[in-house]
Each structure stands twice: as C-alpha cells, then as structure tokens.
Amino acid sequence: MNQFGIGQPVRRVEDWRFLTGHGHYVDDQALPRQAYAVMLRSPHAHAHIRAIDTAAAAAAPGVLAVLTGDDLACDGLGPIPCVAGVNNRDGSPAPLPSRPAMARERVRHVGDTVAMVVAESLGDARDAAELIEINYEPLPAVVETEHALDPGQPQVWDEAPGNLAFDWAIGDAAAVDRPLATARHRITLDIINNRVVANSMEPRGAIGEYDPGDETYTLWSSTQGSHFLRSLLAESVFRIPENRIRVVTRDVGGGFGMKLFLYPEHVLVLWAAKRLGRPIKWTPERADSFMTDTQGRDNVTRLELALDQELRFLGLSVTTIANMGAYLSNYAPEIPTASGAVMYSGVYAIPAISVAVKGVFTHTVPIDAYRGAGRPEAAYAIERLVDFAARRLGVAPQELRRRNFIRPEAMPYATPLGLIYDSGDFARNMDDALAAADLDDFAARRAEAASRGRYRGIGHAVYIEQSGFPPDEFAELRFEPSGTLTMLMGTQSSGQGHHTAYAQLAAERLGLPLEKIRVVQGDTAAIGFGRGTGGSRSLPVGGASVDAAAQKLITKGRRIAAHLLEAAEADVAFADGVFRIAGTDREVGIEAVARAAFNPAQLPADVEPGFAESGHFTPPSPTFPNGCHVCEVEIEPETGHVDIVRYLVVDDFGTVVNPLLLRGQVQGGVAQGVGQALLERTVYDPETGQLVTGSWTDYALPRAEDLPRIEFAYNVIPCRTNPLGLKGAGEAGAIGAPPALVNAIVDALAPLGIEQIDMPVTPERLWDAIRMAERSRAA
C-alpha cells in the first residue's frame, strides 16, 4: 500500500502555507492602478425609488464614478439568472422574475444594491456613498414564511400573485391518502427549520479588470465554482463568448454553498472596470455579508405519518412552505424540491410518500444552498417525526426505527420518490453508535443528573443524503518533462483539503510521492472545464475523474515503457509507480517514462510526445452517505442552558481516502449543525422587514465552549455506483446533528410532557417551555 495513498491519514499538505501566512485570498490581491468600490444598500425592505441624486457624491474627493441601476440598464447588461427553475404541479413553468445587478425602480429587501461608488481609496468611496440622496417611498413588506401566502399580504413580484414562487409536488398523493384515512395510527407534526446566515470566515469579495486590447474581462473572486461564474457572466449578463472572460479563484476561506453563486457585485466590478479603464476592487464588510450573502433553510413543514398495528410505516405526507427571499438565486428552487424533498424516504421502507412544496417570495435576503442544501431539512423533519411518533406510541425510538429500516439485503432499493439507494446498513450504524454511547446505563445517568436538579436526555438520528450526483466533472493530469505531476481540477477547495486528497489519489494510482504532485484549481484560463464544488461531489466525482485520467496515463505509459524495455506491451505490468516485464527484474519507473515521453527519439513511431491525459466522470446516479448521530445533554432548568455532555457519530462514507480529513469534515459539519439547533436565528422585524440579527452582536455562532468532543467512527460499505467506492462526506455532519440534538433535548424534557420544540433551542426559548410545562403540571 502506498504510504500516501487511499486510506492513509496524511496530514494536509496545504496547511504549511496557511499557518505561515502565505495563503492568498481575494483581499490579498492588489492590481496596478486599482480603484475601490463601495455599494450603497437599501435601508428599506420594500420601497419605490422615486429619485437618486448623486451630484454631491460624484464631486467628492477621489471619486471616479457614481453608478446606478439606470446606468446599468443603459449599457444593456442582462439580469442574474436562476438556472434551476421548476415547473408547478400542473406542469406550468413557475415565474422567474428578472434580477438586475442593481435595483432601479423598486428595492425588495434590506441590503438591495441601489448605487455603486468607485474612488481612488476605500475611504473616499465610503465617504462619498454617504452623500448620495435617495428619495424612497416605503412600502409594506412581508417577511414571515408561514404568512407569505396569506390573503392581503404585500406583493413582492407582480408576476407572482400571492407571493407564490412555485407549487411543486412529487409522489403519489392518492396512495398516501388511503393509509392516512384507514391506518391504526396517524401521527402529525409541525416543525420549523430556522433560517441561518452562512457566515464564512472570509467574506466574498471581488476584483474586476478589463483589457481593451484583448476585449477580455478578468474576475478575481472567492467562489466555489470559477467556470460556473464564467458561464453565467458570459451567457446571461455580458452576452459575449466564454473565452472573453477569465475567472480566477485562489484560496477560499469557507463557502458552505453560499459562495457558489453569481452575485451582483461580480457583475458590477467587471462592468465598472470596463467603463473606467481601471481594475475595481470590492471588499465587503461583515454587514454586507449579512445583508447580501444567500442565506439557508427557512422552511415550515407539516408531516403526517400512517402506521399499522405493528408500527410499520404505511404512508407519509409532507407539505412545506419554503422561503425563497426577494429574488430567485441561481439554484434556489431546486433546494427544497429536487435536492431536498426527494430525501423524505430517509432510511425507512415507506411504501407511499407524497411531498408538496410551495416556494414563496418575501422581502428578505435570497435563500439558496447552505451546507447540505435541502437534505438537512428533510433529515431533520423525518428524524424528528420518527422520535415524536415513538413517544406518542410508547415505543423506544431505536425500536421504531429498527422495525422500519430498509434492510441491507433490499439494496439496491428504489424509494417511492424516484431514488435508488445502492448500499447501506442503517441498523449497523445505529447499533454501533448506541452501544458506544452506553445506552443501557443511561437511566442511571439520568437519575444522577436529577439528583443535581438537572434534566438529562439522550437522542439519536439516523440520516441518509444524496451526494456525488450528476453531471460530470473534469481532471487533467499533466506530467512535466522533469517527471513531476500537475493536477488541474475543475472543483474548488474552500477548506476541505482537496490538495491533499487529490494528491493521495494520484499517489495511489501512479505511485508518486506527494512532494512531486501539485494541485491547481480555480483558474478558467488554465483549467479546461469544471462544475465547481457542491453537494459533496469533489471526491466522488472529481476523484473518479482523476482515476479515469490516471488510467489513461498508465495505458500510454505502458506503451512507452514497452518500447524502452524492448518488450511486448502485453508483457508489461504497472504497480507502485513502476512498469515491469512480468517474471523478470527489468523495469522502468513512471518518472523515467514521463521524461522519455518528451523525447521523440525514445518513443514508438505512433505515440505523440508529451505525457498528459484528461478524465471525465459522469455519475450514473447519486451516492448515498449515511450514518447515526447520538447526543447526550443536560439542561439547567433555572437558566435554560443546554450542556452537550457527549456526542458520537458512526458514519458510512464508503471508501475512505483520508481518515484525518474525514474526521475534520464531520467535526465541522456537526459544529454547524449544533449552531443551527441551539444558537443561530435570523430575525426580520415583521412590521418593517429590517434584519434585526444583522451582526455578530445579535446573531449567535457556536464557540468552542458550546461544542463537545466528537467521538467519531465509521463503517466502510463501498458505494456500488462509484468506481472508487466513494460516497462523499462534506455535508453529513450538518445533516445528522440538528435532529440528534433536538431529539436529546426533547428526551430530557419528556418528564415535563414536552414533545416538541423548534430550533434554535435557545436558553430563553427553553426556559419559557420549562416554565409553561411546570405551570401546566401544577394546575
């Protein structure tokens, strides 16, 4: 086994430069003659723009230009597109309102861009922005998800009457209605999946440059998908050939889905750069992030479950209202529908399922993918429902799950919602996790906590998600004449450790040491193609592309080696970086073959010089990571404080490339899940539409003291539809954590008769629930 190959706990090769201050983020980039941009944001959630007076700002010191939506419209730039529109359940296309990069006649959320100031310095631009006078006519706003469809609410878009963005459905409603009407047991649960702000460590940022000689644009941006941005900018906004736009992404300080999308600022810095003939840099403040970065989740859901007398699931009905915000972001309609709703089977054999999703427009920041992108919402809903049903029916949650699990021998399993699970042993993951959590002795721990005046609870959640889904991904492996290898990848790392994982795959297949491998991502001028990073696709799809390219290199290398060794190609085998003639000691290493590949005199007559190959891989279907999270908590009734005393995870990610990277992915995901479950709450004032939690003063993120030590283990059940057996791991922690934690809290409060509490379970919310329950019991 290669000491740096698949399965080895190799430390991240990229960490040295990060730890020594040699990372390169957007704000580290500085171009000659660079000017600075500041965006003026709307203070209103909904208003008509009656007039904009930019004269004072334009005359301010250092100002180069003050630009508005009218200027943008005059130059004929196209809108920012939604590329994932859906059809309504009646087959009609849902409306796709136009989203310009700057508002003209009407603003639709606090933070909507209404003007752009470009100046010689950032300070000059900020000072000038304060001089712009705008005559707004404030209008009523709607911000609450569950009330957006109510009659009489303010309209966000004229072309979307009643604020209905789409009315989508999947499954067989009639097949579900029958068991719901006749089943022995019927369980109904209403839940809210709270809105969250992504809060990446590095804000987005963008620098635009225009070369009039080549008539080309260059955008430097902190993004998860350089090629995706280039495509949208070229086709939808500037309407020019793709090869006239270059997008460059160096290091990315966190993304979580939010940095995948095309934002107004990407358009504006490029547009202004051409108008002014100078590079334009926009560096956001954290307030910009809260007001303009796409946000996540924000669903209101009702679930109805039918069970027979043996507590077998018969049918499941799900209805969801999903907030889209003021504009349809690039993938927004897909998140609660094709990405999330199809996962309501969970890990259970449910014969009939129907899911109906209504997307709604509100005067809030747009919603789009956030770590897990629809799958956490589905997993939270179904895992809360199963726990809720178990308590109502007087059976242990693990027993109800075990009765209804899809069994390993049923794989591949076709769900009622159109997915095919290729592999998984859900009972094994749960049993391993509960055994490690010492569930049998929990009653004693609960009694001991009660003696100290604390409520103690234990909860678990068994999740599955779809990852590694189509379309294709690209990799190019290019040997240099010296024998070193450069890997050109179409994905983009934002902290996951791609440089290490991809290098390990190449080391495994080609037998090279890591120090001779360099990974390049994020430059559309250097890399021919790429889909970017999202949906835990990088290793399952990008890694499979590496494998395909490596196999091509080995095939070509075998021909060259046979020529060098004066042997028949069929007699040459390759292993551990060496081509050998079978049954002899004659051999040549792949680095020597690479050097020979650049010397025509050493090549067969029909072999072209050079040693580089590209690989594409198109997944035949998604992969399905799965696992079980177990959480144990103590609650202090006097304050409502929740202490996570223990947290365990047992996952199945298929083949494991690097256990250290895998552990880090799970730990980071759990941290984000804990943040949503306990702390993070995006609040808009229902009267004014103001973002009340618009800074870290008002929006709580998890800190080290909020998080437990995470005990992590995994079962390896290789994926049957991926050539490397990989399933993907980037989002799993954020999927399993919220239901496991809330299930534990509800278990702790069960003696008080509390059956349901919505996220975030803040101390205030918990304290109120305990007081109300105690008063009810006393009465």
Side-chain angles (χ1 to χ4, degrees):
M1 177 180 290
N2 189 302
Q3 64 173 320
F4 305 114
I6 294 176
Q8 299 304 300
V10 177
R11 292 187 179 276
R12 294 180 8 146
V13 299
E14 53 266 70
D15 282 349
W16 179 87
R17 61 189 180 86
F18 290 136
L19 294 173
T20 56
H22 291 87
H24 195 102
Y25 299 92
V26 175
D27 198 46
D28 295 319
Q29 184 79 18
L31 302 178
R33 301 181 62 246
Q34 177 176 280
Y36 297 84
V38 165
M39 308 299 168
L40 184 64
R41 312 289 188 186
S42 168
H44 300 285
H46 191 202
H48 284 303
I49 301 174
R50 293 306 185 193
I52 301 179
D53 186 349
T54 63
V63 172
L64 301 172
V66 181
L67 303 171
T68 67
D70 287 341
D71 299 315
L72 191 74
C74 286
D75 283 358
L77 271 69
I80 294 172
C82 172
V83 297
V86 299
N87 288 334
N88 294 314
R89 67 172 77 195
D90 63 4
S92 63
L96 295 173
S98 180
R99 182 188 185 184
M102 275 198 290
R104 289 185 67 199
E105 299 173 349
R106 188 150 48 132
V107 293
R108 288 180 168 83
H109 69 89
V110 172
D112 225 350
T113 307
V114 292
M116 175 188 189
V117 179
V118 182
E120 295 285 359
S121 72
L122 185 58
D124 287 342
R126 286 173 175 165
D127 291 342
E130 296 181 0
L131 301 176
I132 299 174
E133 296 184 4
I134 302 179
N135 181 5
Y136 289 106
E137 179 190 345
L139 299 169
V142 56
V143 298
E144 295 177 292
T145 304
E146 60 184 324
H147 296 303
L149 298 173
D150 290 353
Q153 288 286 4
Q155 292 290 291
V156 181
W157 292 97
D158 295 339
E159 53 264 56
N163 296 320
L164 183 65
F166 55 82
D167 184 2
W168 181 93
I170 192 172
D172 188 339
V176 174
D177 289 342
R178 287 190 292 272
L180 284 175
T182 61
R184 177 71 175 272
H185 305 285
R186 179 172 174 169
I187 304 295
T188 301
L189 177 64
D190 295 319
I191 63 168
I192 294 173
N193 203 292
N194 48 314
R195 179 186 281 236
V196 293
V197 178
N199 273 307
S200 60
M201 185 178 293
E202 178 206 15
R204 288 188 286 114
I207 305 173
E209 185 177 28
Y210 181 74
D211 185 334
D214 285 342
E215 297 182 316
T216 57
Y217 295 88
T218 300
L219 173 69
W220 282 266
S221 176
S222 176
T223 177
Q224 293 173 230
S226 300
H227 289 83
F228 177 67
L229 288 196
R230 182 182 69 167
S231 176
L232 295 188
L233 287 166
E235 295 178 10
S236 299
V237 179
F238 291 98
R239 302 185 179 100
I240 58 177
E242 274 191 276
N243 60 11
R244 297 294 181 184
I245 297 181
R246 177 190 180 194
V247 179
V248 183
T249 301
R250 300 286 293 275
D251 294 318
V252 179
F256 315 118
M258 176 272 292
K259 286 185 180 173
L260 183 60
F261 315 118
L262 178 64
Y263 285 92
E265 295 83 5
H266 295 138
V267 175
L268 297 178
V269 295
L270 290 173
W271 170 60
K274 181 177 180 180
R275 284 181 64 114
L276 299 176
R278 295 177 61 173
I280 308 298
K281 182 175 185 176
W282 172 69
T283 301
E285 297 182 356
R286 187 58 62 175
D288 290 287
S289 299
F290 274 91
M291 291 190 294
T292 65
D293 292 354
T294 57
Q295 297 175 356
R297 317 298 192 227
D298 204 347
N299 290 350
V300 176
T301 299
R302 165 162 286 193
L303 304 107
E304 295 179 279
L305 177 66
L307 305 91
D308 65 17
Q309 64 274 12
E310 296 179 349
L311 305 187
R312 307 281 185 183
F313 299 161
L314 300 176
L316 172 66
S317 171
V318 183
T319 55
T320 290
I321 301 175
N323 200 335
M324 296 289 101
Y327 301 100
L328 290 179
S329 181
N330 297 155
Y331 285 112
E334 181 179 308
I335 305 309
T337 57
S339 180
V342 295
M343 294 308 304
Y344 273 101
S345 291
V347 293
Y348 307 107
I350 309 175
I353 305 175
S354 67
V355 184
V357 182
K358 290 184 177 180
V360 297
F361 287 113
T362 62
H363 293 107
T364 62
V365 173
I367 291 283
D368 211 312
Y370 173 73
R371 198 168 191 170
R375 284 92 80 195
E377 294 92 311
Y380 179 74
I382 191 68
E383 288 303 288
R384 279 295 301 125
L385 175 66
V386 173
D387 245 56
F388 182 84
R391 296 184 186 283
R392 280 285 175 94
L393 300 170
V395 62
Q398 63 270 26
E399 175 56 28
L400 185 58
R401 288 186 169 90
R402 189 174 286 107
R403 291 189 192 190
N404 290 282
F405 278 147
I406 301 165
R407 302 187 182 280
E409 56 269 24
M411 302 292 180
Y413 178 84
T415 76
L417 299 177
L419 297 178
I420 299 177
Y421 299 167
D422 67 280
S423 59
D425 190 339
F426 312 130
R428 177 183 173 187
N429 293 335
M430 184 183 73
D431 290 344
D432 288 354
L434 293 178
D438 197 12
L439 182 63
D440 291 342
D441 287 339
F442 173 71
R445 299 196 296 276
R446 170 175 266 170
E448 188 278 330
S451 71
R452 293 183 281 109
R454 301 289 186 95
Y455 297 114
R456 193 163 182 133
I458 191 168
H460 66 280
V462 184
Y463 77 91
I464 189 168
E465 62 153 329
Q466 60 167 332
S467 298
F469 37 77
D472 60 336
E473 194 48 78
F474 167 86
E476 181 181 353
L477 306 188
R478 186 176 66 201
F479 272 93
E480 315 302 337
S482 64
T484 57
L485 178 69
T486 299
M487 306 178 67
L488 303 172
M489 303 301 304
T491 58
Q492 177 63 51
S493 175
S494 56
Q496 300 94 328
H498 285 183
H499 291 75
T500 303
Y502 285 141
Q504 283 185 258
L505 291 176
E508 176 78 18
R509 290 294 183 257
L510 302 175
L512 291 172
L514 291 188
E515 62 266 20
K516 294 195 175 184
I517 302 172
R518 178 171 177 254
V519 177
V520 177
Q521 300 180 90
D523 186 346
T524 60
I527 300 161
F529 176 78
R531 301 287 185 183
T533 290
S536 297
R537 297 177 72 253
S538 292
L539 272 189
V541 188
S545 301
V546 169
D547 190 62
Q551 295 303 328
K552 291 182 182 180
L553 277 174
I554 292 169
T555 299
K556 181 174 182 177
R558 184 178 289 111
R559 296 186 67 192
I560 298 171
H563 183 75
L564 295 174
L565 296 170
E566 299 180 338
E569 185 179 337
D571 294 334
V572 177
F574 178 77
D576 300 324
V578 177
F579 295 93
R580 292 184 178 88
I581 300 177
T584 75
D585 59 358
R586 296 177 62 199
E587 62 183 39
V588 59
I590 194 170
E591 295 175 53
V593 168
R595 288 191 290 270
F598 291 89
N599 184 351
Q602 294 184 282
L603 296 176
D606 58 346
V607 173
E608 291 185 358
F611 203 37
E613 295 287 352
S614 63
H616 273 81
F617 174 67
T618 301
S621 63
T623 62
F624 294 97
N626 59 90
C628 180
H629 289 224
V630 181
C631 180
E632 191 165 337
V633 301
E634 275 194 6
I635 298 172
E636 186 177 62
E638 293 82 6
T639 64
H641 175 75
V642 176
D643 181 23
I644 304 175
V645 296
R646 198 169 179 201
Y647 200 101
L648 304 96
V649 181
V650 175
D651 282 316
D652 165 21
F653 296 131
T655 301
V656 174
V657 173
N658 185 319
L660 287 180
L661 296 182
L662 186 66
R663 182 181 297 272
Q665 284 291 299
V666 172
Q667 290 172 338
V670 169
Q672 285 185 276
V674 169
Q676 181 182 9
L678 291 183
L679 301 165
E680 299 185 49
R681 185 176 177 223
T682 309
V683 180
Y684 289 89
D685 183 273
E687 298 298 323
T688 65
Q690 291 295 318
L691 178 58
V692 177
T693 52
S695 73
W696 283 343
T697 302
D698 307 295
Y699 186 95
L701 289 175
R703 302 182 180 184
E705 65 184 11
D706 299 310
L707 300 171
R709 184 176 72 87
I710 298 167
E711 301 173 47
F712 172 59
Y714 54 84
N715 292 313
V716 177
I717 302 176
C719 177
R720 299 174 182 175
T721 60
N722 183 275
L724 298 174
L726 297 165
K727 294 183 179 178
E731 297 161 311
I735 295 173
L741 180 47
V742 175
N743 286 345
I745 291 171
V746 171
D747 183 64
L749 301 177
L752 297 174
I754 295 174
E755 295 182 299
Q756 161 64 1
I757 190 165
D758 279 318
M759 299 186 294
V761 190
T762 61
E764 177 187 17
R765 180 172 286 177
L766 200 50
W767 187 88
D768 282 341
I770 292 172
R771 297 286 86 75
M772 290 178 62
E774 289 176 341
R775 285 196 294 269
S776 178
R777 294 179 71 194

